[in-house]
Structure formats: C-alpha cells, structure tokens
Amino acid sequence: MTDELAEPSLRITEIFYSLQGEADSVGWPTVFIRLTGCPLRCAYCDTTYAFSGGEKMPISAILQRVREYSTRYVTVTGGEPLAQPGCLSLLSALADSGYQVSLETSGALDVSGVDARIVKVMDLKTPASGEMARNRYENLDCLTPRDQIKFVIADSADYQWSKQQVNEHRLAERCQVLFSPVMGQMAPSELADRILADQLPVRFQIQLHKFLWDDARGK
C-alpha cells in the first residue's frame, strides 16, 4: 500500500467512557477520545498530561475501541485535537459509523475543514487564560446553530471581556454560548449571579465530572 493510501493514524492519550461533563450533551454517557498534543498553554489547563506521549493508533483501531461501549455519543478532545491532521478523517469516520460526534477545540486552529455533521464546541480564550492572542476569529463564520462557543471565566475581567465578545460579535445569534467558571478561581454562584443580573443570552455550565469524581483522570 502506498503512503497516500495508508490508513491515517493518530497519537492518542486515552479513550474512556464517562458522562459528558460540559456543553449541550451534558449528562449523556459518552466515549471520549483524547488526542495528544496542544500548541497552547492555557493557565488553567487541567489536561497537561495530554501535551506529550500517547499511543499511535490507526483510525480502525480507534473505532474498534469505541464500539466496545453502547453509546450514541462520542467526543473528540485533547490537548488540541485539530493539531493532528488525521483528526478530520477520524471525525468523518465516526460520523459515518452513526455516532453523534462533538469536537472540543481551542478556537486557535482553522475549523473550516471539520465535517458538517460534527458539533463544534469551540473556545474563545479569555485574558486570564494567557492565550487570548491565539483566538482565530475567522472561525466564528464557520459556526452553525448546532455548534457551541465556550468562555472559561476566571475573574471579573474575564467576565467583562466575555460579555463584550458576546455583544460585539452577536454570538447568541450564531450558536449557543456557554459561560463556565474556572474551578477554584471563580465561584459558580458568582458567575451565575452575574449572568442573571446582566440578563445575558448565554448558558451557564459547570464541569459536572469534577463535582462527581474530583477531576480524576479517565472520568
């Protein structure tokens, strides 16, 4: 088989089965495929173990692992999954297999090539992340009503910046907008109160898996 016809492989940190802790499908039993590698270094990152290492797996082997679990839902995450070129082929293969697939991405890399069947859950990085300059605003034009844009908010300055972005780019008219507190830095109740006081057209969320399993790896 020539290199051009070879099956794509990706470097995988872990594949595990858990409840979706965030976004629109929160609470659903889901298979998570965590790809290795990320070009960003967000200050609040909770998956630094995915920056390196991992196991190289062909897409067929990844699909076989996913089939071990009885679920309709699959999330491809990282790291930054789009940092690996084979991610686009993996997403399409999962959709071809009948799964409801979401992609968790930082928003720093081009999402225009993502299969239209995939739900994009895309960050806009806030000032406290340390990676605000990496935001790729061209990606906003690729979002559809079934996609979601996420702000991870650490403090009052992050909140004010996020509110400005929602208004300036009319984000609530493009897709769902998610506001999430950085655990240990902003109290969930404080963020909830701010959203209500300002009557923002956003969806409050917390990381369910951290409340259930205290951020245990593989959960």
Side-chain angles (χ1 to χ4, degrees), residues 24-157:
D24 194 29
S25 58
V26 63
W28 284 110
T30 300
V31 174
F32 293 83
I33 305 170
R34 188 180 304 284
L35 274 60
T36 305
C38 184
L40 280 71
R41 293 294 182 266
C42 298
Y44 50 70
C45 181
D46 55 7
T47 53
T48 57
Y49 61 88
F51 287 169
S52 60
E55 174 190 358
K56 204 161 190 182
M57 297 177 65
I59 288 178
S60 58
I62 298 170
L63 293 176
Q64 181 59 41
R65 286 285 302 279
V66 172
R67 284 194 288 269
E68 295 174 8
Y69 304 99
S70 298
T71 180
R72 299 166 55 199
Y73 297 92
V74 177
T75 293
V76 177
T77 185
E80 168 50 68
L82 291 177
Q84 295 194 46
C87 180
L88 296 179
S89 297
L90 173 62
L91 293 168
S92 293
L94 289 164
D96 289 343
S97 296
Y99 295 107
Q100 295 188 26
V101 184
S102 60
L103 167 71
E104 295 184 345
T105 178
S106 65
L109 301 181
D110 185 7
V111 302
S112 64
V114 174
D115 192 305
R117 296 170 292 178
I118 308 304
V119 174
K120 296 181 287 294
V121 183
M122 190 186 84
D123 285 10
L124 272 186
K125 296 300 183 183
T126 60
S129 74
E131 293 285 13
M132 184 177 66
R134 303 294 292 272
N135 287 326
R136 183 184 172 92
Y137 287 94
E138 300 94 323
N139 282 337
L140 297 179
D141 291 331
C142 299
L143 299 178
T144 70
R146 63 200 296 266
D147 296 325
Q148 295 136 62
I149 193 160
K150 182 174 70 174
F151 294 84
V152 181
I153 297 172
D155 52 30
S156 180

